[in-house]
Structure formats: C-alpha cells, structure tokens
Amino acid sequence: MYKALLIKYGEIAIKGKNRGSFERALCDRIEERLDALGDFSVIREQGRIIVECPDEYDFDETITELRKVFGIIGICPVVVCDSIEWEDITRTALDHIRDEYPEAKFTFRVDAKRADKRYPIESPEMCMRMGESILKEFPDTKVDLHNPEVHLIVEVRNRTYIYSKTLSAAGGMPMGTAGKAMLLLSGGIDSPVAGYMIAKRGVELEATYFHAPPYTSERAKQKVVDLAKIVSQYTGPIKLNIVNFTDIQLYIYETCPHEQLTIIMRRYMMRIAEILARQSGCIGLVTGESIGQVASQTMQSLECTNAVCTLPVYRPLIAFDKQDIVDISARIGTFETSIQPYEDCCTIFVAKHPVTHPILTAIEKSELKLSEKIDELMNTALETVEVIECR
Ligand code: ATP
Ligand code: MG
C-alpha cells in the first residue's frame, strides 16, 4: 500500500522568486481536492511536494482527483519504509518490485539519495548495493543505465521513500496563479473546453450564459449549470451569471437585417459579458470560437465580434479542429452533457443565409438603427442577472 504520493510539477520549478507562491498555491489546490477523501496531509519540503496518505484510502479515487489539479505533471506512488536501516530498506524495495512487476523481467537502474550526508552509506554505494540485491532476487532482470524499463528511486530521509512509477497528470499551472477571466459559456461542446483550457494556465473563471426564455427552456439553462459544475471540478467554484437576452434578441430581430443577426447578437453578448467581467475584476473574456467552424466564426466575423471588446478576448480553441475539441471534451467529462439536445439562443434566431464575410462598417451602420432602446434593454438585462454558484 502506498503511504505517500510524490507530486511532480514542471514549469513551476522555473519561476524563480515566485516559486514559493506557486508551490503554496499548488499545495492549497491539492488540499482542497483531497479534503473530502480523507485525512491527507500535503507537505512542501526541499523543492517538492509530498502527499502523506491516511492508513485507509481509495488509491484510484485519489489519483483521479489529483489528475484534476492543474500544475501537477506526474504523480509517483511511494512506498514508505519507516526505518532507515539498510536491510529494512532493501526488503521493502524488493517487496515493491514483487508487487508492481510480478513477471520480474525488466531492465532497470537505481538512483539513491540521502538527505542527511551523515547517513553511513554514500549514494553511489546505495545504488550498487540495491542493484546487486535486485539482480540476485530477480535473475531475469538486467541493469540498463541509459534506457531502463524500471527506474527505482530510493530516498533516505527521516524515513525512506521508494518509488519507481510516474502516473501522468494534467500539467498546466496551479489555479489562482494568473488572473480571472469571464467565460462565455453556452450549452455547446466548445465553450466548456475553452474554459478548461484557459483554466489550465492558472486562470480563475467566472461565467456568463445568455438565456432566451421562453425560446430556450429551463432545461437548456440547467444544462449550462451542469456544465459549469463539471468544469468547476478542475477550477474550483464558478460564479455563473445568467443573462436574460430575450428582449435584446427580439429587438435586434425586428430592427436589423436578418443575415446580420448572429453577428449583431454576438456583439451584444460580448458587450454585456465585458461589463459583467469588469464588475467582478476579470481581466479577459474567453470564448469557444474556432476559425471557420460556423458563419459567425470566420475571420471576418471574428473581426466584427472582437471590435466591441476592450478587454483581451482569449480563444483557446481558435486553431483546433472540431474532432480535437470533441476528444478533449470527452476526456474532461463535459461531452455527454454538451450533446444533450436542448435549444440554444443562437440557433433560434438564426437566419437562413447568415453573412459569412460581414463588413464591420455595415454591421455598425445596422446597429445605429437600434437607438437608445438597446441601452435600456441592456441595462434591464444587467439589472436582472441571476447568479448561480456552481461547484
Ligand atoms: P459552443 O459549442 O461553445 O456553443 P458553437 O460552436 O455553438 O460554440 P457559437 O454558437 O457561434 O459556436 O458560439 C461561439 C462562442 O460564443 C461560444 O463558444 C461561447 O463562448 C459563446 N456563446 C455562444 N452562445 C452563447 C450563449 N448562449 N451564452 C454564452 N455564451 C455563448
Ligand atoms: Mg453554441
């Protein structure tokens, strides 16, 4: 049974003076994730993070949760030998090999470290002795220093840590080490993935959903809440703003050329999302757009949508093919929810032949027809935002 897990983190290690705060953020995120699973303690020592596990815990579940923590690149399950007597260490290491590699046929190398230089056996000597014991106990093994199948590491501290496997993890940067951004979250496949990807760089998320009752149902809204909850497993709680967009959409529909509807609607979404973003300290917007995926995502359309934003708009999926996005959404667990067939406000008012190459000046001219009434409608929409904490 593994009594500890060694957490490997990549890029944080190169953050110079900020390293301490990155490590602390990572420890906090690990603690939050494991809190419900048992009495784990997260220890930061000498440039590494060790999770000490309780006597009883569910290994698979623990790994699943740790894989949701951005900033971890690998997890090494560690066998802990409470003794630092060499005989005890050897026995524990051989047991570990027997358990993990039952065929006992592999090439290997051993690396050994001693935290206290007063420990009576020097590191190269430890490696040699351990190598000999393995060769003797498991005759089908062979030493290969350059490209070993099994890399056994023995670290003697106040106890001895033995490990040989690294389980892959999400990578990225710990949540809360960048700024906060506003995700435009629809019920589709793309925007939850976009949120996941930007959050993976340490960006905290808030979200906004544009709802158009009665054209879009309560269940369509619930689907977005469900998606935010899934994404929050990686990001921590997400504040979801639900904006009633119906009157704005209807007014645009009455007033503007139908082939420009989607673009103008998207521009109003961005405007409203930006106001909400600034109100809550977000320093960027995030969308699930990808060049050419639909009429509203050609470069010309993106130019028109982008023109109303003063905050940077992050589009992590901009160069992704749909299938790649689908693969990520399946992996992070949003796909099944995203494909539930509920109506979307963009598709309800969509024109038969939307412009694919809109001209910004033409769009701006159409918007002039909207007059002050659109400002009133925007104010009402902002005043009636419903907020749901998703966790
Ligand atoms: P998605 O799969 O994310 O819904 P999509 O392929 O359907 O994307 P569009 O409908 O053109 O594309 O939307 C582009 C982006 O605009 C979305 O990824 C999302 O960020 C934002 N968006 C679209 N509709 C809404 C909405 N109802 N509420 C909030 N954001 C939206
Ligand atoms: Mg959509």
Short mmCIF file of all heavy atoms in Angstrom, two decimals, residues 130-180:
data_model
loop_
_atom_site.label_atom_id
_atom_site.label_comp_id
_atom_site.label_asym_id
_atom_site.label_seq_id
_atom_site.Cartn_x
_atom_site.Cartn_y
_atom_site.Cartn_z
N MET A 130 21.82 -1.85 -3.85
CA MET A 130 20.43 -2.14 -4.21
C MET A 130 20.37 -2.88 -5.53
O MET A 130 19.63 -3.86 -5.69
CB MET A 130 19.62 -0.83 -4.29
CG MET A 130 18.13 -1.02 -4.53
SD MET A 130 17.31 -2.00 -3.27
CE MET A 130 17.16 -0.80 -1.95
N GLY A 131 21.19 -2.46 -6.51
CA GLY A 131 21.24 -3.13 -7.80
C GLY A 131 21.60 -4.59 -7.65
O GLY A 131 20.95 -5.48 -8.23
N GLU A 132 22.60 -4.85 -6.83
CA GLU A 132 23.01 -6.25 -6.62
C GLU A 132 21.89 -7.07 -6.00
O GLU A 132 21.63 -8.21 -6.41
CB GLU A 132 24.25 -6.29 -5.70
CG GLU A 132 25.54 -6.06 -6.47
CD GLU A 132 26.72 -5.77 -5.55
OE1 GLU A 132 26.63 -6.04 -4.33
OE2 GLU A 132 27.74 -5.26 -6.07
N SER A 133 21.21 -6.50 -5.02
CA SER A 133 20.13 -7.24 -4.36
C SER A 133 19.02 -7.57 -5.36
O SER A 133 18.45 -8.67 -5.33
CB SER A 133 19.52 -6.42 -3.22
OG SER A 133 20.51 -6.11 -2.28
N ILE A 134 18.73 -6.61 -6.25
CA ILE A 134 17.66 -6.86 -7.24
C ILE A 134 18.08 -7.97 -8.20
O ILE A 134 17.32 -8.91 -8.46
CB ILE A 134 17.32 -5.55 -8.00
CG1 ILE A 134 16.69 -4.53 -7.05
CG2 ILE A 134 16.36 -5.85 -9.17
CD1 ILE A 134 16.49 -3.14 -7.65
N LEU A 135 19.32 -7.88 -8.68
CA LEU A 135 19.81 -8.90 -9.64
C LEU A 135 19.78 -10.29 -9.01
O LEU A 135 19.45 -11.28 -9.67
CB LEU A 135 21.23 -8.56 -10.09
CG LEU A 135 21.36 -7.34 -11.01
CD1 LEU A 135 22.82 -6.94 -11.17
CD2 LEU A 135 20.73 -7.63 -12.38
N LYS A 136 20.11 -10.33 -7.73
CA LYS A 136 20.17 -11.62 -7.05
C LYS A 136 18.75 -12.18 -6.83
O LYS A 136 18.48 -13.35 -7.09
CB LYS A 136 20.87 -11.42 -5.69
CG LYS A 136 21.25 -12.71 -5.02
CD LYS A 136 22.24 -12.44 -3.89
CE LYS A 136 22.06 -13.53 -2.84
NZ LYS A 136 22.08 -13.02 -1.48
N GLU A 137 17.85 -11.32 -6.43
CA GLU A 137 16.49 -11.76 -6.11
C GLU A 137 15.69 -12.07 -7.39
O GLU A 137 14.89 -12.99 -7.42
CB GLU A 137 15.78 -10.66 -5.31
CG GLU A 137 14.40 -11.00 -4.82
CD GLU A 137 14.41 -11.95 -3.62
OE1 GLU A 137 15.49 -12.12 -2.99
OE2 GLU A 137 13.35 -12.54 -3.33
N PHE A 138 15.94 -11.28 -8.43
CA PHE A 138 15.17 -11.45 -9.68
C PHE A 138 16.15 -11.68 -10.83
O PHE A 138 16.57 -10.72 -11.50
CB PHE A 138 14.31 -10.22 -9.96
CG PHE A 138 13.44 -9.81 -8.82
CD1 PHE A 138 13.74 -8.67 -8.07
CD2 PHE A 138 12.32 -10.55 -8.46
CE1 PHE A 138 12.94 -8.28 -7.00
CE2 PHE A 138 11.51 -10.16 -7.39
CZ PHE A 138 11.83 -9.03 -6.66
N PRO A 139 16.50 -12.92 -11.09
CA PRO A 139 17.58 -13.22 -12.03
C PRO A 139 17.28 -12.79 -13.48
O PRO A 139 18.21 -12.64 -14.28
CB PRO A 139 17.74 -14.74 -11.95
CG PRO A 139 16.88 -15.19 -10.82
CD PRO A 139 15.95 -14.12 -10.44
N ASP A 140 16.01 -12.58 -13.81
CA ASP A 140 15.69 -12.19 -15.19
C ASP A 140 15.81 -10.68 -15.43
O ASP A 140 15.41 -10.18 -16.47
CB ASP A 140 14.27 -12.63 -15.55
CG ASP A 140 14.22 -14.13 -15.78
OD1 ASP A 140 15.29 -14.72 -16.04
OD2 ASP A 140 13.12 -14.70 -15.67
N THR A 141 16.29 -9.97 -14.46
CA THR A 141 16.44 -8.52 -14.66
C THR A 141 17.86 -8.19 -15.09
O THR A 141 18.77 -9.02 -14.96
CB THR A 141 16.11 -7.76 -13.36
OG1 THR A 141 17.04 -8.16 -12.36
CG2 THR A 141 14.70 -8.04 -12.89
N LYS A 142 18.01 -6.98 -15.60
CA LYS A 142 19.31 -6.58 -16.12
C LYS A 142 19.48 -5.07 -15.92
O LYS A 142 18.51 -4.32 -16.03
CB LYS A 142 19.34 -6.87 -17.64
CG LYS A 142 20.70 -7.33 -18.15
CD LYS A 142 20.56 -7.92 -19.55
CE LYS A 142 20.54 -6.81 -20.60
NZ LYS A 142 20.21 -7.30 -21.94
N VAL A 143 20.67 -4.64 -15.67
CA VAL A 143 20.90 -3.21 -15.49
C VAL A 143 20.99 -2.52 -16.85
O VAL A 143 21.59 -3.05 -17.78
CB VAL A 143 22.20 -2.96 -14.70
CG1 VAL A 143 22.53 -1.46 -14.65
CG2 VAL A 143 22.08 -3.53 -13.28
N ASP A 144 20.32 -1.39 -16.97
CA ASP A 144 20.47 -0.55 -18.17
C ASP A 144 20.42 0.91 -17.69
O ASP A 144 19.36 1.43 -17.36
CB ASP A 144 19.34 -0.83 -19.17
CG ASP A 144 19.48 0.03 -20.42
OD1 ASP A 144 20.28 1.00 -20.40
OD2 ASP A 144 18.77 -0.24 -21.40
N LEU A 145 21.56 1.54 -17.65
CA LEU A 145 21.60 2.88 -17.05
C LEU A 145 20.99 3.94 -17.96
O LEU A 145 20.54 4.98 -17.51
CB LEU A 145 23.05 3.26 -16.73
CG LEU A 145 23.74 2.40 -15.66
CD1 LEU A 145 25.14 2.92 -15.38
CD2 LEU A 145 22.93 2.35 -14.37
N HIS A 146 20.99 3.67 -19.27
CA HIS A 146 20.58 4.71 -20.20
C HIS A 146 19.10 4.70 -20.54
O HIS A 146 18.48 5.75 -20.66
CB HIS A 146 21.42 4.64 -21.47
CG HIS A 146 22.87 4.82 -21.17
ND1 HIS A 146 23.37 6.02 -20.73
CD2 HIS A 146 23.91 3.94 -21.16
CE1 HIS A 146 24.67 5.88 -20.48
NE2 HIS A 146 25.01 4.62 -20.74
N ASN A 147 18.56 3.51 -20.73
CA ASN A 147 17.16 3.45 -21.14
C ASN A 147 16.42 2.36 -20.36
O ASN A 147 15.92 1.40 -20.96
CB ASN A 147 17.15 3.19 -22.66
CG ASN A 147 15.82 3.58 -23.26
OD1 ASN A 147 14.99 4.22 -22.60
ND2 ASN A 147 15.59 3.15 -24.49
N PRO A 148 16.37 2.49 -19.05
CA PRO A 148 15.81 1.40 -18.23
C PRO A 148 14.29 1.33 -18.34
O PRO A 148 13.64 2.36 -18.53
CB PRO A 148 16.21 1.80 -16.82
CG PRO A 148 16.28 3.29 -16.85
CD PRO A 148 16.77 3.65 -18.23
N GLU A 149 13.75 0.12 -18.24
CA GLU A 149 12.28 -0.01 -18.18
C GLU A 149 11.77 0.37 -16.80
O GLU A 149 10.68 0.90 -16.67
CB GLU A 149 11.88 -1.47 -18.51
CG GLU A 149 12.01 -1.78 -19.99
CD GLU A 149 12.19 -3.27 -20.30
OE1 GLU A 149 12.29 -4.09 -19.37
OE2 GLU A 149 12.24 -3.58 -21.49
N VAL A 150 12.55 0.08 -15.80
CA VAL A 150 12.16 0.43 -14.43
C VAL A 150 13.24 1.32 -13.82
O VAL A 150 14.42 0.98 -13.84
CB VAL A 150 11.98 -0.85 -13.57
CG1 VAL A 150 11.69 -0.46 -12.12
CG2 VAL A 150 10.87 -1.72 -14.12
N HIS A 151 12.80 2.47 -13.34
CA HIS A 151 13.75 3.40 -12.72
C HIS A 151 13.37 3.49 -11.24
O HIS A 151 12.39 4.12 -10.86
CB HIS A 151 13.63 4.76 -13.41
CG HIS A 151 14.66 5.74 -12.95
ND1 HIS A 151 14.76 7.01 -13.44
CD2 HIS A 151 15.65 5.63 -12.03
CE1 HIS A 151 15.77 7.64 -12.86
NE2 HIS A 151 16.32 6.81 -11.99
N LEU A 152 14.15 2.81 -10.42
CA LEU A 152 13.83 2.74 -8.99
C LEU A 152 14.57 3.86 -8.25
O LEU A 152 15.77 4.03 -8.41
CB LEU A 152 14.26 1.38 -8.43
CG LEU A 152 13.90 1.16 -6.95
CD1 LEU A 152 12.42 0.82 -6.80
CD2 LEU A 152 14.77 0.07 -6.34
N ILE A 153 13.81 4.59 -7.45
CA ILE A 153 14.42 5.68 -6.70
C ILE A 153 14.27 5.43 -5.20
O ILE A 153 13.18 5.06 -4.73
CB ILE A 153 13.80 7.02 -7.11
CG1 ILE A 153 14.13 7.24 -8.60
CG2 ILE A 153 14.39 8.18 -6.28
CD1 ILE A 153 13.50 8.40 -9.24
N VAL A 154 15.37 5.56 -4.51
CA VAL A 154 15.38 5.33 -3.06
C VAL A 154 15.87 6.62 -2.41
O VAL A 154 16.96 7.10 -2.72
CB VAL A 154 16.36 4.18 -2.71
CG1 VAL A 154 16.42 3.97 -1.20
CG2 VAL A 154 15.96 2.90 -3.43
N GLU A 155 15.03 7.21 -1.56
CA GLU A 155 15.43 8.45 -0.89
C GLU A 155 15.41 8.23 0.61
O GLU A 155 14.36 7.94 1.18
CB GLU A 155 14.45 9.57 -1.21
CG GLU A 155 14.51 10.04 -2.64
CD GLU A 155 13.62 11.27 -2.86
OE1 GLU A 155 13.34 11.99 -1.88
OE2 GLU A 155 13.21 11.47 -4.01
N VAL A 156 16.57 8.37 1.21
CA VAL A 156 16.64 8.19 2.66
C VAL A 156 16.55 9.56 3.32
O VAL A 156 17.39 10.43 3.08
CB VAL A 156 17.95 7.47 3.06
CG1 VAL A 156 17.95 7.21 4.57
CG2 VAL A 156 18.11 6.17 2.29
N ARG A 157 15.51 9.74 4.08
CA ARG A 157 15.35 10.97 4.87
C ARG A 157 15.21 10.55 6.31
O ARG A 157 15.95 9.67 6.73
CB ARG A 157 14.10 11.71 4.37
CG ARG A 157 14.28 12.15 2.93
CD ARG A 157 13.01 12.69 2.32
NE ARG A 157 13.36 13.25 1.03
CZ ARG A 157 13.55 14.56 0.79
NH1 ARG A 157 13.37 15.43 1.74
NH2 ARG A 157 13.91 14.96 -0.40
N ASN A 158 14.23 11.13 7.04
CA ASN A 158 14.00 10.58 8.38
C ASN A 158 13.28 9.23 8.28
O ASN A 158 13.27 8.43 9.21
CB ASN A 158 13.23 11.56 9.27
CG ASN A 158 11.99 12.06 8.58
OD1 ASN A 158 11.77 11.76 7.39
ND2 ASN A 158 11.17 12.81 9.28
N ARG A 159 12.68 8.99 7.12
CA ARG A 159 12.18 7.68 6.75
C ARG A 159 12.70 7.42 5.34
O ARG A 159 13.37 8.27 4.77
CB ARG A 159 10.65 7.66 6.72
CG ARG A 159 10.02 8.38 7.89
CD ARG A 159 8.57 8.09 7.98
NE ARG A 159 7.76 8.93 7.09
CZ ARG A 159 6.48 8.69 6.87
NH1 ARG A 159 5.89 7.63 7.39
NH2 ARG A 159 5.80 9.49 6.09
N THR A 160 12.33 6.30 4.74
CA THR A 160 12.83 6.04 3.40
C THR A 160 11.67 5.99 2.41
O THR A 160 10.66 5.33 2.66
CB THR A 160 13.62 4.72 3.35
OG1 THR A 160 14.58 4.75 4.39
CG2 THR A 160 14.31 4.55 2.02
N TYR A 161 11.84 6.71 1.32
CA TYR A 161 10.83 6.76 0.28
C TYR A 161 11.32 5.95 -0.91
O TYR A 161 12.45 6.16 -1.38
CB TYR A 161 10.60 8.20 -0.17
CG TYR A 161 10.03 9.08 0.92
CD1 TYR A 161 10.85 9.77 1.80
CD2 TYR A 161 8.64 9.23 1.04
CE1 TYR A 161 10.32 10.57 2.80
CE2 TYR A 161 8.11 10.05 2.03
CZ TYR A 161 8.95 10.71 2.91
OH TYR A 161 8.41 11.51 3.89
N ILE A 162 10.48 5.03 -1.39
CA ILE A 162 10.87 4.19 -2.52
C ILE A 162 9.79 4.29 -3.59
O ILE A 162 8.60 4.11 -3.28
CB ILE A 162 11.02 2.72 -2.05
CG1 ILE A 162 12.16 2.63 -1.02
CG2 ILE A 162 11.30 1.79 -3.23
CD1 ILE A 162 12.18 1.35 -0.25
N TYR A 163 10.19 4.60 -4.81
CA TYR A 163 9.19 4.67 -5.88
C TYR A 163 9.82 4.39 -7.23
O TYR A 163 11.03 4.53 -7.42
CB TYR A 163 8.46 6.01 -5.88
CG TYR A 163 9.34 7.23 -5.93
CD1 TYR A 163 9.65 7.85 -7.15
CD2 TYR A 163 9.86 7.79 -4.76
CE1 TYR A 163 10.44 8.98 -7.20
CE2 TYR A 163 10.66 8.92 -4.81
CZ TYR A 163 10.95 9.51 -6.03
OH TYR A 163 11.74 10.63 -6.06
N SER A 164 8.96 3.97 -8.16
CA SER A 164 9.50 3.62 -9.49
C SER A 164 8.54 3.96 -10.62
O SER A 164 8.82 3.71 -11.77
CB SER A 164 9.79 2.12 -9.53
OG SER A 164 8.58 1.41 -9.40
N LYS A 165 7.38 4.51 -10.28
CA LYS A 165 6.39 4.78 -11.34
C LYS A 165 5.95 6.22 -11.29
O LYS A 165 5.83 6.79 -10.21
CB LYS A 165 5.15 3.91 -11.11
CG LYS A 165 5.32 2.52 -11.63
CD LYS A 165 3.99 1.79 -11.75
CE LYS A 165 4.25 0.47 -12.45
NZ LYS A 165 3.21 -0.52 -12.25
N THR A 166 5.71 6.79 -12.46
CA THR A 166 5.13 8.13 -12.51
C THR A 166 3.83 8.05 -13.30
O THR A 166 3.83 7.65 -14.47
CB THR A 166 6.08 9.13 -13.19
OG1 THR A 166 7.33 9.10 -12.51
CG2 THR A 166 5.53 10.53 -13.14
N LEU A 167 2.73 8.39 -12.65
CA LEU A 167 1.44 8.42 -13.34
C LEU A 167 1.26 9.81 -13.94
O LEU A 167 1.58 10.81 -13.30
CB LEU A 167 0.31 8.14 -12.35
CG LEU A 167 0.49 6.88 -11.49
CD1 LEU A 167 -0.58 6.80 -10.42
CD2 LEU A 167 0.47 5.64 -12.37
N SER A 168 0.75 9.87 -15.16
CA SER A 168 0.63 11.16 -15.83
C SER A 168 -0.46 12.00 -15.17
O SER A 168 -1.39 11.47 -14.56
CB SER A 168 0.28 10.96 -17.30
OG SER A 168 -1.01 10.38 -17.37
N ALA A 169 -0.35 13.31 -15.28
CA ALA A 169 -1.38 14.20 -14.74
C ALA A 169 -1.62 15.33 -15.72
O ALA A 169 -1.04 15.34 -16.81
CB ALA A 169 -0.95 14.72 -13.37
N ALA A 170 -2.46 16.30 -15.32
CA ALA A 170 -2.95 17.30 -16.28
C ALA A 170 -1.88 18.28 -16.75
O ALA A 170 -1.93 18.78 -17.87
CB ALA A 170 -4.11 18.08 -15.68
N GLY A 171 -0.91 18.61 -15.91
CA GLY A 171 0.04 19.66 -16.27
C GLY A 171 -0.57 21.04 -16.07
O GLY A 171 -1.56 21.18 -15.34
N GLY A 172 -0.02 22.04 -16.72
CA GLY A 172 -0.54 23.40 -16.58
C GLY A 172 0.01 24.11 -15.35
O GLY A 172 1.06 23.73 -14.83
N MET A 173 -0.70 25.12 -14.93
CA MET A 173 -0.28 25.95 -13.80
C MET A 173 -1.35 25.92 -12.71
O MET A 173 -2.53 25.85 -13.04
CB MET A 173 -0.10 27.40 -14.26
CG MET A 173 0.84 27.56 -15.41
SD MET A 173 2.50 27.25 -14.88
CE MET A 173 3.06 28.90 -14.78
N PRO A 174 -0.95 26.04 -11.44
CA PRO A 174 -1.95 25.96 -10.38
C PRO A 174 -3.00 27.06 -10.49
O PRO A 174 -2.67 28.21 -10.79
CB PRO A 174 -1.14 26.14 -9.09
CG PRO A 174 0.28 25.95 -9.45
CD PRO A 174 0.41 26.23 -10.92
N MET A 175 -4.23 26.67 -10.25
CA MET A 175 -5.35 27.59 -10.29
C MET A 175 -5.12 28.74 -9.33
O MET A 175 -4.71 28.52 -8.19
CB MET A 175 -6.59 26.78 -9.89
CG MET A 175 -7.88 27.50 -9.96
SD MET A 175 -8.15 28.29 -11.52
CE MET A 175 -8.04 26.92 -12.62
N GLY A 176 -5.39 29.95 -9.81
CA GLY A 176 -5.25 31.11 -8.93
C GLY A 176 -3.88 31.76 -9.03
O GLY A 176 -3.59 32.68 -8.28
N THR A 177 -3.06 31.33 -9.96
CA THR A 177 -1.74 31.96 -10.10
C THR A 177 -1.70 32.93 -11.28
O THR A 177 -0.68 33.56 -11.55
CB THR A 177 -0.61 30.93 -10.27
OG1 THR A 177 -0.92 30.09 -11.37
CG2 THR A 177 -0.46 30.08 -9.02
N ALA A 178 -2.81 33.02 -12.04
CA ALA A 178 -2.88 34.01 -13.11
C ALA A 178 -3.96 35.01 -12.68
O ALA A 178 -4.09 35.27 -11.50
CB ALA A 178 -3.21 33.33 -14.43
N GLY A 179 -4.73 35.56 -13.60
CA GLY A 179 -5.82 36.47 -13.19
C GLY A 179 -7.14 35.75 -13.30
O GLY A 179 -7.21 34.52 -13.37
N LYS A 180 -8.21 36.53 -13.35
CA LYS A 180 -9.55 35.95 -13.50
C LYS A 180 -10.11 36.36 -14.86
O LYS A 180 -9.87 37.48 -15.31
CB LYS A 180 -10.45 36.45 -12.37
CG LYS A 180 -11.81 35.80 -12.35
CD LYS A 180 -12.50 35.93 -10.98
CE LYS A 180 -12.95 37.33 -10.73
NZ LYS A 180 -13.93 37.45 -9.64
#
